[in-house]
């Protein structure tokens, strides 16, 4: 019995932190495209059933277009798919699962997909799935509670594999529930996918949707689970993501700092354009000229990346030569006097120093432009 | 330029005034309205107003006192030569002539053009508004009346090019800013202007990046608020939907419980109906048993009652029976006594009858005797009465024969007689007495035809005619009317008198007296007889006699009866009776009375005995009836009792039946109570209420169900989506957008602050530069101000494409803009500025320019004005300058 375990597709995720609408659309599209890679794995490994352990949609009211595309993609999976709602797309009243446009789309494009909106066993040949759907955003009680009664699992047909399907951290996969061959969950407390305890597995998202918070973040994959009744499952991780999310930290110092930064950033991208997302954190100090160069590099990468977050904490420190070039100008006495005054304010520090720094930068730029 | 001389003709007040100007200063004084200002104005017009102007400007110059057009001639020095300009203002036919002394002469337009050139002013032309334009010519030098306190900044505007040139050459300053400086100034001024917050509603100027950023933030906030509201609505709908669903579940549970309750109530009602029927049944059975028992008890009571009655009757009849017997014995005895009394009564009655008979006989006899005597008396009296009646009749016959004369009649007659006598006497007294004493016998003497015998005396009371033979005499008695009256009266009286007598059949009064006396006597006799008759009761005598005779007859008849009876008795030999007949009456009466007494006593006794017998008989009757009735009743009771016993059985049988009925009754009562208690235990009285309550609960549940379904439907509708928008995703997007827009706005604001700061610095630098540039002008102004206001006074002059700002600095006292100064200080300041400008500009006019102060120090302290003047005068002497200064104070 082969199962493909996945979750957290979060289709329709708005990516509000991406400014450009086209890039946003691309980021959203990537999550739908990843479903096809899931389908390919299912086909390649001759999977019996695909289990989506919650948060297939990012919200309870996904847009029709995304829903249609998703259903079409689901329809391309060559085996039955069982889906449970998670906390993002919980199955409460008014949610997408109950909307007519979803029902119609499912019927039309993905008739093999089973959406489990209530905790009741789903019996397929040789496998019984015990879904634990979330029917509200935050469920106060344990959604696996219905499995505590051992009779539920014991009632499964002899020889059938029993799988508990849940969303969120299954804290209590013990007692009767532990009789199941596997508990397939959507996410763990950490970003790790895989086995957190015996027979309990987390798949993570099929396509990464955020910057990693730690070094061990491994997303963008699905789990291929090979399991038989009464045996521990054999689990294999298969890649499914396309977008790459990077966190880059750089301290800028010296004349070549900006050029180095540019080279470093290209090491992440290679030849890829708008398939990477970078969270850049900059510190250090830069001259007026370097500032201008940095602005140019940031603009360049903003075009190359699908998302470019810059946490710019660099400090503007004009060089002596730059200061001299502004203040020692016999031909432009007024400019010279003003530059000197701003430089003086900047050096004095205090409340006005930052404004003076910015003003000097502006003055510098204007001089460059108007000279 | 220097004024030398001016002639003013036919110009308002002036007919022909000539002013010779001092090379340094000329003072023109005079009282008000003597034409000082007019003179100054005329010179100004000659220099700057074209001679051919028309309209108000010309009209204002005309004199009302002098004939001829206004004409002004000014002799002046300019460009190193002397000129004479003559202008005659006469509208279109006005004329201008400019003559260079010792040289060329220009006329009209050429003259005007040349003049403009010499004075280095712009041609102000003609036509509309020429007055104002002309006023502006040399306004910075020419203080007109009432303008002394105005800021000379504006007045110098037309000359700022010349002033700039002079300042640049005199300050010796290099070009103030480099081209780059200039561009930077403009660049940052433009940027600062963009970021300047304008007053009013909009924080930033429209079209600027900051405005756009703020607008974008606002738009995003608005859109976010809308999406949040939409989302909140959906969330609320979700909550409502869930709540409605839960309500429906609860309502279904409640409805099931209510349905169960209704079933229970229905079952209770059914049980109650059954029990009620049973209770009724038991009640009827209990009633029957009770009736039976009552009947039994009634029978017992009846029998008992009969028995008691029989006992009572038996007990009460016996003594009364005994009493009846005793009473009957007493009755028999009383009847014997009564019979005895009756015997005695009969005896006594016989004796009394005899005594009565004897008395009656004796009394009848006595009565006969008495009546006979009475009859005899009455007969005697009757005879006597008859004699008296006869006598009275005789007397009445006599009386009837006499005239009926009353004493009144007698008196009347006597009175008439007397009156007649009197009347006659009066007549006679008046009458004539005629007596024929002798007459011829042949001739018959007659009086009124009646023969009159001689010697016959005739009394004449009336006219008479005496005839004797031929003699006819009328004799008329005297007295006249009185005699007639007397005669009439006498006649009347006589007639009455005679009539009276005749009526009474009397002859004369004496006769009347006699008749009356006779009648009185007879009447007296009659009355005596009457009295006697009355005394005898004569009227009754006959009747009494008749009655007495009748009674006598009866008494005699009665007596005869008694007598025959006595004879009969006597014939029977009763001696005593015979004897008794002779007994006297009182004795008989006593005997009779005694007998009557005896009979009365006997009768009384008899009645008493009779009453006693009657009473006893009644008592006995009553007793015997009573006894008899009770005996009858007793018998009846016995019959009834026997019948009852026959009907209801003997005592034992009845006792058994009674006990049975009592037991039955108790049983039925118990059954009834048991069923009733069972019924009450089901609270049948609460059934209706319970049903109504249950029905209400059902109605409420229905209402709640409908309500919940409605809420659920509303919520479902609110949640329904066509997938057009994902509000949750949209919210996230908008939040990101808004965050970025705010960051962008903050960055722009920081940038704007930087721009403003740079712009501010540039402006400060520019101002400092301007101060340096205007220093030569400020220094000259300052010289004058120091002379008047003290050494601390300094002028600050800013230049920004012309004079832009004038300020007075007073050392530690601070700086004051021109407009904030007092009126006097303004006058001083303005004068100093004019003088300083004139000093600077004089270089282009051959080192001299005329400055005119017309009434320019109205508010200023005269001492300060003199200080300025001294300053000017001293400088002029030192520098040997040739400017004209005309102070008019």
């Amino acid at each position: 019995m082969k199962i493909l375990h996945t979750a957290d597709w979060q289709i329709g995720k708005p990516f509000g932190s991406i400014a450009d609408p086209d890039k946003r659309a691309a980021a959203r599209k990537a999550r739908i495209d990843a479903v096809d890679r899931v389908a390919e794995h299912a086909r390649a490994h001759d999977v019996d059933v695909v289990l989506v352990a919650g948060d297939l949609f990012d919200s309870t009211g996904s847009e029709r277009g995304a829903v249609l595309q998703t259903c079409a993609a689901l329809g391309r999976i060559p085996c039955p798919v069982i889906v449970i709602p998670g906390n993002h797309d919980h199955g409460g009243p008014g949610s997408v699962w109950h909307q007519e446009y979803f029902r119609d789309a499912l019927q039309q494009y993905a008739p093999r997909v089973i959406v489990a909106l209530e905790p009741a066993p789903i019996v397929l040949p040789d496998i019984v799935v015990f879904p634990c759907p979330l029917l509200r955003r935050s469920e106060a009680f344990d959604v696996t509670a219905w499995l505590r009664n051992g009779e539920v699992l014991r009632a499964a047909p002899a020889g059938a594999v029993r799988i508990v399907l849940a969303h969120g951290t299954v804290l209590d996969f013990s007692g009767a529930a532990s009789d199941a061959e596997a508990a397939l969950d959507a996410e763990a407390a950490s970003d790790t996918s895989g086995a957190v305890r015996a027979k309990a597995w987390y798949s993570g998202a099929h396509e990464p949707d955020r910057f990693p918070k730690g070094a061990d973040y491994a997303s963008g994959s699905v789990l291929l689970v090979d399991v038989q009744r009464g045996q521990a499952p054999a689990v294999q991780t298969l890649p499914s993501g396309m977008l790459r999310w990077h966190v880059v930290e750089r301290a800028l110092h010296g004349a070549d700092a900006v050029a180095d930064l540019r080279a470093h950033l290209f090491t992440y991208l290679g030849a890829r354009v708008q398939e990477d997302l970078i969270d850049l954190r900059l510190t250090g100090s830069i001259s007026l000229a370097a500032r201008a160069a940095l602005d140019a590099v940031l603009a360049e990468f903003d075009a190359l990346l699908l998302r470019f977050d810059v946490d710019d904490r660099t400090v503007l420190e004009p060089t002596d030569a730059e200061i001299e070039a502004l203040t020692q100008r016999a031909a432009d006495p007024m400019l010279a006097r003003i530059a000197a005054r701003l430089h003086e304010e900047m050096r004095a520090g205090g409340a006005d120093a930052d404004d003076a720094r910015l003003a000097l930068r502006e003055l510098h730029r204007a001089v460059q432009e108007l000279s | 330029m220097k004024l030398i001389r001016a002639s003013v003709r036919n110009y308002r007040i002036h007919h022909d005034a000539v002013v010779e100007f001092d090379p340094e200063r000329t003072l023109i004084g005079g009282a008000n309205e003597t034409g000082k200002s007019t003179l100054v104005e005329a010179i100004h017009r000659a220099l700057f107003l074209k001679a051919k102007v028309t309209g108000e400007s010309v009209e204002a110059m005309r004199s009302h006192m002098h004939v001829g057009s206004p004409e002004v001639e000014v002799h002046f020095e300019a460009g190193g030569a002397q000129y004479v300009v003559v202008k005659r203002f006469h509208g279109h036919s006005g004329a201008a002539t400019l003559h260079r002394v010792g040289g060329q002469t220009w006329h009209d337009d050429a003259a005007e053009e040349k003049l403009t050139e010499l004075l280095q002013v712009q041609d102000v032309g003609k036509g509309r508004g020429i007055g104002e334009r002309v006023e502006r010519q040399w306004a910075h030098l020419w203080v007109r009346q009432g303008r002394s306190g105005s800021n000379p900044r504006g007045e110098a505007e037309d000359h700022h090019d010349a002033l700039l040139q002079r300042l640049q050459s005199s300050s010796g300053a290099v070009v103030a800013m480099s081209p780059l400086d200039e561009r930077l100034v403009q660049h940052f001024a433009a940027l600062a202007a963009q970021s300047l917050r304008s007053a009013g509603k909009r924080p930033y100027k429209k079209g600027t990046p900051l405005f756009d950023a703020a607008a974008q933030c606002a738009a995003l906030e608005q859109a976010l608020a809308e999406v949040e509201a939409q989302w909140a609505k959906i969330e609320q709908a979700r909550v409502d939907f869930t709540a409605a669903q839960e309500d429906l579940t609860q309502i279904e549970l409640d409805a099931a419980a209510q349905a169960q309750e209704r079933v229970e109530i229905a079952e209770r009602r059914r049980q109650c109906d059954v029990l009620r029927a049973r209770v009724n049944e038991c009640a009827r059975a209990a009633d029957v048993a009770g009736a039976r028992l009552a009947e039994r008890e009634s029978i017992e009571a009846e029998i008992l009652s009969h028995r008691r009655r029989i006992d009572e009757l038996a007990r009460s009849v016996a003594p009364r029976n005994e009493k009846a017997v005793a009473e009957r014995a007493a009755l028999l005895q009383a009847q014997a006594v009564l019979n005895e009394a009756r015997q005695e009564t009969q005896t006594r009655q016989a004796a009394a009858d005899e005594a009565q008979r004897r008395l009656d006989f004796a009394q009848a006899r006595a009565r006969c005797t008495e009546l006979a005597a009475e009859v005899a008396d009455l007969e005697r009296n009757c005879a006597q009465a008859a004699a008296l009646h006869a006598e009275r009749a005789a007397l009445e016959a006599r009386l009837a024969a006499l005239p009926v004369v009353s004493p009144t009649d007698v008196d009347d007659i006597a009175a008439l007689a007397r009156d007649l006598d009197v009347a006659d006497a009066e007549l006679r007294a008046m009458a004539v007495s005629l007596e024929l004493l002798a007459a011829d016998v042949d001739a018959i003497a007659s009086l009124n035809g009646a023969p009159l015998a001689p010697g016959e005396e005739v009394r004449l009371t009336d006219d008479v005619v005496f005839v004797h033979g031929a003699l006819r005499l009328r004799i008329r008695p005297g007295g006249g009317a009185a005699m007639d009256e007397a005669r009439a009266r006498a006649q009347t009286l006589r007639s009455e008198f005679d009539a009276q007598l005749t009526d009474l059949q009397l002859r004369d009064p004496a006769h009347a007296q006699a008749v009356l006396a006779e009648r009185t006597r007879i009447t007296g006799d009659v009355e005596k007889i009457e009295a006697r008759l009355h005394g005898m009761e004569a009227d009754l005598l006959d009747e009494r006699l008749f009655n007495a005779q009748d009674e006598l007859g009866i008494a005699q008849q009665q007596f005869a009866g008694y007598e025959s009876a006595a004879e009969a008795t006597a014939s029977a030999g009763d001696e005593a009776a015979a004897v008794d007949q002779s007994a006297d009456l009182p004795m008989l009466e006593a005997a009779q009375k005694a007998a009557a007494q005896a009979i009365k006593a006997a009768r009384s006794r008899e009645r008493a005995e009779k009453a006693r017998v009657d009473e006893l008989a009644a008592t006995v009757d009553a007793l015997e009836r009573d006894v008899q009735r009770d005996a009858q009743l007793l018998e009846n009771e016995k019959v009834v009792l026997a019948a009852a016993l026959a009907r209801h059985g003997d005592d034992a049988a009845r006792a058994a039946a009674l006990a049975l009925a009592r037991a039955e009754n108790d049983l039925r009562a118990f059954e009834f109570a048991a069923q009733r208690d069972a019924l009450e235990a089901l609270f049948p009285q609460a059934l209706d209420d319970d049903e109504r309550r249950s029905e209400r609960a059902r109605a409420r549940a229905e209402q709640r169900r409908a309500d919940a379904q409605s809420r659920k439907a509303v919520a479902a509708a609110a949640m329904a989506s066509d997938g057009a928008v994902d509000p949750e995703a949209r919210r996230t997007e908008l939040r990101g957008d808004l965050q970025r827009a705010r960051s962008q706005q903050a960055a722009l604001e920081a940038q704007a602050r930087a721009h403003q700061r740079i712009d501010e610095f540039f402006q400060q630098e520019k101002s400092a530069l301007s101060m340096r540039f205007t220093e030569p002008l400020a220094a000259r102004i300052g010289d004058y101000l120091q002379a008047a206001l003290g050494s601390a006074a300094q002028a600050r002059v800013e230049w920004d494409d012309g004079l832009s700002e004038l300020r007075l600095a007073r050392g530690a006292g601070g700086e004051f803009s021109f407009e904030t100064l007092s009126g006097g200080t303004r006058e001083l300041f303005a004068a100093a500025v004019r003088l300083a400008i004139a000093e600077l500009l004089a270089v282009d006019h051959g080192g001299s320019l005329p400055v005119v102060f017309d009434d320019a120090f109205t508010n200023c302290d005269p001492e300060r004005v003199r200080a300025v003047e001294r300053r000017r005068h001293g400088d002029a002497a030192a520098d040997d300058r040739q400017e004209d200064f005309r102070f008019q104070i």
Side-chain angles (χ1 to χ4, degrees), chain B residues 720-733:
Chain B
S721 164
D722 59 359
V725 178
D726 180 352
E728 209 176 345
R730 183 81 189 115
R731 181 176 61 166
T732 309
E733 277 182 319

Side-chain angles (χ1 to χ4, degrees), chain B residues 543-556:
Chain B
E543 190 184 345
R544 283 165 68 180
L545 178 61
F546 177 77
N547 287 343
Q549 283 170 339
D550 193 31
E551 280 179 33
L552 182 60
I554 290 164
Q556 282 171 339

Side-chain angles (χ1 to χ4, degrees), chain A residues 12-20 24 28 58-65 88 90 92-95 99-101 136-137 329 331-338 341-342 345 352 355-356 358-360 362-363 365-367 369-371, chain B residues 176-181 183-185 187-188 191 231 234-235 238 241-242 246 719-737 740 747 750-755 757-758 760-766 769:
Chain A
K13 182 162 179 160
F15 291 104
S17 45
I18 298 175
D20 181 27
R24 275 185 198 170
R28 283 200 289 267
D58 186 60
S59 68
T60 54
S62 284
E63 285 181 10
R64 190 173 198 157
H88 276 87
H90 65 79
S95 62
Q99 301 292 355
E100 210 171 300
Y101 66 87
R136 61 191 78 191
R137 189 171 298 283
R329 297 175 80 103
D332 306 308
M334 204 175 268
L335 165 60
R337 279 187 55 76
I338 289 166
R341 283 177 72 180
L342 289 173
E345 280 187 2
D352 291 340
D355 279 355
L358 183 58
L360 196 65
E362 289 293 315
L363 187 61
R365 196 167 62 188
V367 169
E369 286 170 4
L370 297 173
S371 286
Chain B
M177 293 180 281
S178 71
L180 178 59
D181 282 346
R183 283 197 297 278
L184 286 170
V185 165
H187 176 71
F188 283 105
L191 288 174
W231 180 245
I234 291 168
E235 286 287 81
R238 198 165 275 159
F241 186 90
T242 309
E246 283 166 3
M719 287 188 302
S721 164
D722 59 359
V725 178
D726 180 352
E728 209 176 345
R730 183 81 189 115
R731 181 176 61 166
T732 309
E733 277 182 319
L734 285 170
R735 281 175 178 171
D737 290 345
R740 273 188 301 280
Q751 201 178 31
R753 278 199 306 280
H755 292 159
R757 192 169 194 79
I758 296 167
E760 192 185 326
F761 281 5
F762 271 117
Q763 294 305 324
Q764 286 171 1
E765 291 299 323
K766 251 179 83 182
L769 207 60

Side-chain angles (χ1 to χ4, degrees), chain B residues 485-645:
Chain B
E485 282 174 17
R487 190 168 54 235
R489 190 160 65 236
Q491 273 176 351
T492 304
L493 286 171
R494 182 157 302 280
S495 306
E496 276 182 36
F497 181 72
D498 289 346
Q500 190 85 4
L501 288 179
T502 308
D503 281 354
L504 295 173
Q505 300 170 322
L506 291 172
R507 289 183 306 278
D508 53 36
H511 182 207
Q513 286 279 6
V515 167
L516 182 60
E518 181 63 21
R519 286 190 68 93
T520 303
R521 193 182 51 79
I522 293 169
T523 304
D525 289 345
V526 167
E527 280 174 357
K528 283 174 189 162
I529 292 167
E530 287 278 350
R532 282 184 64 189
L533 284 170
H534 186 74
M536 292 168 66
E537 295 179 322
D539 299 343
L540 304 172
L541 280 174
D542 285 345
E543 190 184 345
R544 283 165 68 180
L545 178 61
F546 177 77
N547 287 343
Q549 283 170 339
D550 193 31
E551 280 179 33
L552 182 60
I554 290 164
Q556 282 171 339
Q557 202 174 351
Q558 201 173 6
F559 180 71
Y562 289 146
E563 202 170 40
S564 60
E567 280 171 5
T569 307
S571 62
D574 188 351
E575 193 76 22
V579 172
D580 283 346
Q581 282 177 357
S582 60
D584 61 359
L585 201 54
M587 204 176 68
L588 286 172
E589 279 175 352
Q592 186 267 336
K593 210 170 267 179
Q597 281 296 94
I599 187 66
K600 195 176 173 185
R603 279 190 183 134
S604 175
R605 186 179 160 224
E606 187 186 333
R607 273 197 304 276
E609 289 305 326
K610 178 71 169 75
R612 179 168 159 69
V613 166
D614 288 348
E615 186 186 346
L616 277 169
T619 305
V620 169
D621 266 4
L623 274 169
E624 284 179 353
R625 267 200 312 278
D626 213 13
V627 168
Q628 198 172 357
R629 193 191 66 226
D630 282 0
Q632 188 59 48
L633 283 173
L634 184 60
E635 277 310 306
N636 288 347
E637 285 294 328
K638 282 177 178 168
V639 169
V640 169
L641 177 61
L645 288 173

Side-chain angles (χ1 to χ4, degrees), chain A residues 343-362:
Chain A
H343 185 232
E344 184 55 39
E345 280 187 2
M346 201 182 92
R347 282 201 310 188
D352 291 340
D354 284 346
D355 279 355
R357 203 181 299 277
L358 183 58
L360 196 65
R361 187 174 148 189
E362 289 293 315

